[in-house]
Amino acid sequence: MSNSFNFEYKPLPWNIIFGTGAVSKLNQELESFGFSKALVLTTPNQADEGCKISNLIGNNAAGHFDQAAMHVPVETFNAATKMARHINADCTIAIGGGSTTGLGKALAVKSNLPNIVIPTSYAGSEMTNIWAITENERKITARDNAAVPTLTIYDPGLTLTLPPKFAAASGLNAMAQAVVNIATDNINPLISSLALDAVRALANSLPLIITEPKNMKARSEALYGASLAGAALGTGTTSLHHKICHTLGGSFNMPHAETHAILLAHSVAYNAAATPVGTEKLGDALNSDNAALAIFNLVERLKGPKSLQEIGFNEQDIDRAAEITLESVFSNPEPVTVDKLKKLLRNAYEGTAPQSF
Ligand code: NAD
């Protein structure tokens, strides 16, 4: 930690409004940007939310694409692009979780369409410059500041409909973004501060959401934690944890948030020996001297899925998943070997408590 004040920090061009009822400011914000032909984006599940947004902005709504899907399949991207061109859209408004935000980000990068995002889950994607498209079972991700939303409106009231079980998984997905920027061998003190506050906010609020789903203070704190976690990921790094999750999502169609929730404790255990200072700080934020176990126990407390088996991953795909994960180069504090990666995946598949490597 002796060189921890030797760092670089490049914030992203964030523009945020946060608060209960904040979505009511959408139309005045659109007008201040001069946008008048918005393409509203939602998943099929949240089509009603999209209709409400269209009603709220009246004549400034030019269309509604309600087919956003997990991991931005190229077919979905192409269909949304076609609609945006057809209605001559001058911006997108993505209301939903990371899947919808992801579609808005891909359109921002590839079609130069300013993107407004109204997050309703804890994916945190709106705070990062990471965008993705999935084609031929491979999820390709890249960083580009053009993906960062022109405006993000956080309205915790919109997260009340997020079922507690998914709120827990989504919150753990957010926590992962923070954790990889704390339990690292290259601590950036500014990013680590954001990330530690994110972990504390999420660890405090998520159990409350499980027991009191309508607790607005908890919902607000969780959304705040997710935003900070996204900021940490956006300006920080990813490592083995995100690489495995992207493989399981892009190549095996595993649900994103749940996959993160299951793997996080195992990824922390994998890197613990190589990241003693960061892992201790993470443990402190979780009031534990064993950060990986604290995360594993938190997942249990949140009644989240604990094994890949539970969410439909096939045991015979462990080897292939390890090989795909290692297809491209990525950095990680602890060197990654195929055998250790298979062991990690097996632990996660079986849902055992995290083991040291
Ligand atoms: P999601 O967006 O697919 O949402 C899951 C389901 O929950 C969807 O049907 C959605 O419509 C619904 N939903 C969302 N909010 C709701 C609410 N308040 N009430 C009721 N239903 C609601 O899942 P997600 O976990 O939010 O996002 C996952 C996607 O985001 C993945 O593709 C992942 O790769 C991406 N992601 C990207 C980044 C990044 O930085 N680029 C970061 C995190 C996640």
Side-chain angles (χ1 to χ4, degrees), residues 3-257:
N3 66 347
S4 59
F5 292 105
N6 182 6
F7 67 94
E8 292 178 15
Y9 185 67
K10 293 185 177 67
L12 298 179
W14 296 308
N15 178 20
I16 296 166
I17 301 176
F18 194 115
T20 304
V23 73
S24 64
K25 296 183 180 155
L26 176 60
N27 215 21
Q28 83 194 46
E29 288 295 323
L30 277 180
E31 283 170 5
S32 73
F33 283 113
F35 299 148
S36 59
K37 289 182 181 170
L39 174 61
V40 176
L41 306 174
T42 66
T43 60
N45 271 350
Q46 289 183 288
D48 286 353
E49 291 303 319
C51 294
K52 285 186 206 157
I53 290 296
S54 297
N55 290 336
L56 179 69
I57 62 175
N59 289 340
N60 289 327
H64 177 187
F65 181 84
D66 64 3
Q67 295 299 314
M70 190 82 81
H71 307 309
V72 195
V74 69
E75 299 77 15
T76 310
F77 170 77
N78 288 340
T81 303
K82 196 171 162 195
M83 186 161 178
R85 286 196 184 128
H86 180 68
I87 64 172
N88 201 16
D90 58 10
C91 71
T92 61
I93 302 174
I95 176 157
S99 299
T100 314
T101 302
L103 179 58
K105 289 168 93 175
L107 285 162
V109 173
K110 302 270 278 185
S111 305
N112 224 6
L113 263 182
N115 55 340
I116 294 175
V117 176
I118 306 172
T120 63
S121 79
Y122 308 132
S125 169
E126 64 286 345
M127 292 297 284
T128 84
N129 54 0
I130 303 169
W131 68 285
I133 287 192
T134 300
E135 190 168 11
N136 298 330
E137 292 188 348
R138 291 290 189 279
K139 182 171 177 176
I140 309 296
T141 62
R143 286 192 187 249
D144 187 329
N145 284 5
V148 178
T150 304
L151 171 68
T152 295
I153 299 182
Y154 287 107
D155 188 334
L158 297 173
T159 66
L160 284 172
T161 48
L162 198 60
K165 203 170 169 213
F166 183 63
S170 184
L172 288 159
N173 172 201
M175 191 177 277
Q177 301 168 353
V179 162
V180 297
N181 283 290
I182 302 168
T184 164
D185 54 352
N186 186 19
I187 296 173
N188 178 311
L190 257 178
I191 297 172
S192 169
S193 297
L194 286 173
L196 283 163
D197 213 21
V199 167
R200 285 187 283 262
L202 290 162
N204 190 49
S205 57
L206 296 177
L208 277 170
I209 289 173
I210 296 296
T211 52
E212 299 169 47
K214 300 287 174 210
N215 184 323
M216 269 306 290
K217 194 162 171 272
R219 292 279 184 173
S220 187
E221 190 178 19
L223 193 59
Y224 168 70
S227 172
L228 288 187
L233 181 70
T235 49
T237 187
T238 59
S239 49
L240 174 65
H241 175 76
H242 284 84
K243 191 74 190 160
I244 302 173
C245 291
H246 281 190
T247 300
L248 297 187
S251 302
F252 298 91
N253 207 23
M254 288 292 104
H256 180 84

Side-chain angles (χ1 to χ4, degrees), residues 272-322:
T275 62
V277 176
T279 301
E280 190 181 339
K281 277 174 177 280
L282 175 61
D284 289 348
L286 293 164
N287 297 317
S288 168
D289 58 7
N290 184 334
L293 190 60
I295 292 169
F296 188 78
N297 291 338
L298 178 64
V299 177
E300 189 157 64
R301 207 171 149 206
L302 298 177
K303 304 183 175 66
K306 296 190 92 170
S307 69
L308 290 175
Q309 190 173 13
E310 267 172 76
I311 60 167
F313 188 75
N314 292 321
E315 189 175 8
Q316 60 268 31
D317 285 334
I318 289 178
D319 289 2
R320 207 171 128 240

